[in-house]
Each structure stands twice: as structure tokens, then as C-alpha cells.
Amino acid sequence: MARLTRLLPLVRSAAPEDRNQARVLDAALLAFLDFGIKRTSMVEVARRGGLSLATLYRRFASKSDLIRAVGLRQTRDFIQEVDAALQRQVDRDASAEDQIVELFAAFINGLRGNQLIHRLLATEPELVLPYLTTQGAPVIELGRDYLAEFVTRLQREGKLPEYDPEPLAEMIARTALSLALTPQTVIPLGDDASIRQFARDHVVVSFRVR
């Protein structure tokens, strides 16, 4: 299978926002949440961001560029939240099982808690669904590479046996995305405790924990 463009390093290496860019992206996100993407104009974003339309266009040549910047920021924030949840486990030298449980919970909660995704799924599904389903390869790749990196670290630490982590990583990424986007399920995932128990009972075993 041909390797896609590696997105995880690109997300992690994204340049930090300056104050003005942060203000624009904050304004754009709030407008997208209020009106949806299609009904949000660059004029509205400029007004909310407290800058002229000309200044906004100097920073973002088109609305498409602005949408991509908001998407990159949302992805970066998601990765940072998952990183932080895992780092707390690493700091206490948690077992592989505990780290897997917390990683799965962080994935599910991060996806479920994303207001923009769920706003768009409710009001503009034709806009966002292709990027999460039929054209969702970049999203799956991002999750797969993150999980493969996670498994490789645990293997290096002797907490997991040696095996190719990518097929398992992709399966878990696909499962987490599906569970997050389609919450109507008989699987008990109604709260944090249930999510963690499901991971402990059904996800951990897939990683071949020693």
C-alpha cells in the first residue's frame, strides 16, 4: 500500500500562533460554531476578530486557507490533549494495560468532545462526512501513526512483544473514530468509567500485553 503524506510530524511541527493569528482562528471557530462553515463569511470573521477585511486576507488568501488553518489547530489541540493524558501515565511508569486504557479513553473523549465536528455533522453533514468516511484516509492515517508510535515505544520499553504495530493501530483508529461519530450503540460507553472498562475488557487484549 502506498504511504500517504506523513501528517503527524506536520501537525506536531506546526509553527506556534502569534497573538493576531490566534485571535483570527478563535473568531473563525466561533463563527463556524454559530453559523456553520458555508454561511460564515470572511467579513464576519474579520468583524469578530477586530481587524479589517484587508488584514484578514493578508493572513489568509481565501476562506479555504482559513478553514484549513482552523482544522490544523483543532488537530494539533487534539494531539496535544492525548499527549498530555499519556504523559501522565508515563510519568508514573504505568503498565502497558493502564496506558492503553487511558489512550483509548483520550481518543474517544477527544473526538466526542469536539464541538466543531458535531456542529457540522448536525448541520452540514455533506461538508464534513466525506472527510471522515470515504475521503477519510488522512484522518485514519493520523490515528494509525499516533498509535503505531505508541506501540513502538511500549515495545522498546519491554512492555509489549515485538510485532508490526500498523495493522493493529489502524484497526483501533478506525474503531475509535466510528464509536465517536456514531454514539448510538449497545456498547456501554456512556461515561468515562464505562469507556475505560470497555477498553480494559476488549481493547487491551488486542495489544498482546505481556
Side-chain angles (χ1 to χ4, degrees):
M1 183 177 72
R3 166 66 67 183
L4 298 166
T5 302
R6 298 301 294 268
L7 296 179
L8 186 58
L10 293 177
V11 171
R12 283 194 166 137
S13 64
E17 300 163 5
D18 61 37
R19 183 181 303 174
N20 289 331
Q21 180 153 342
R23 190 168 72 233
V24 170
L25 295 182
D26 288 343
L29 177 59
L30 289 174
F32 293 162
L33 291 172
D34 286 345
F35 304 120
I37 286 178
K38 287 190 294 188
R39 291 175 54 209
T40 294
S41 67
M42 294 292 271
V43 171
E44 177 64 19
V45 173
R47 184 188 69 78
R48 288 180 178 232
L51 58 151
S52 70
L53 188 59
T55 300
L56 177 59
Y57 273 112
R58 278 197 293 272
R59 287 186 167 270
F60 299 98
S62 68
K63 183 177 171 181
S64 294
D65 289 343
L66 179 59
I67 292 168
R68 280 193 289 271
V70 171
L72 176 59
R73 181 208 246 185
Q74 293 265 294
T75 304
R76 187 182 65 242
D77 289 350
F78 173 78
I79 294 295
Q80 288 175 347
E81 287 173 6
V82 178
D83 280 347
L86 271 183
Q87 190 59 50
R88 289 191 290 272
Q89 300 301 309
V90 171
D91 289 344
R92 69 179 189 86
D93 193 26
S95 66
E97 178 174 341
D98 285 349
Q99 292 190 47
I100 292 164
V101 167
E102 291 306 311
L103 175 63
F104 186 78
F107 259 60
I108 294 291
N109 287 327
L111 289 168
R112 281 188 171 180
N114 188 291
Q115 291 179 290
L116 182 58
I117 287 178
H118 292 287
R119 167 66 163 85
L120 297 177
L121 285 173
T123 60
E124 300 177 82
E126 75 285 354
L127 190 67
V128 69
L129 272 176
Y131 295 101
L132 299 173
T133 54
T134 56
Q135 298 174 40
V139 175
I140 296 299
E141 179 218 348
L142 191 64
R144 182 187 67 231
D145 283 359
Y146 190 100
L147 286 158
E149 180 184 272
F150 167 76
V151 171
T152 299
R153 175 178 61 78
L154 289 178
Q155 289 174 330
R156 193 167 56 245
E157 294 171 358
K159 293 179 177 179
L160 289 179
E162 291 297 321
Y163 55 83
D164 179 1
E166 287 204 332
L168 169 65
E170 181 165 321
M171 182 191 73
I172 300 298
R174 288 179 180 273
T175 299
L177 182 62
S178 176
L179 289 172
L181 296 179
T182 312
Q184 297 80 14
T185 175
V186 298
I187 299 172
L189 298 175
D191 53 47
D192 283 351
S194 298
I195 290 170
R196 286 177 170 81
Q197 191 60 53
F198 174 80
R200 206 170 290 281
D201 292 342
H202 301 289
V203 177
V204 169
V205 65
S206 302
F207 286 79
R208 309 181 204 174
V209 175
R210 292 184 184 278

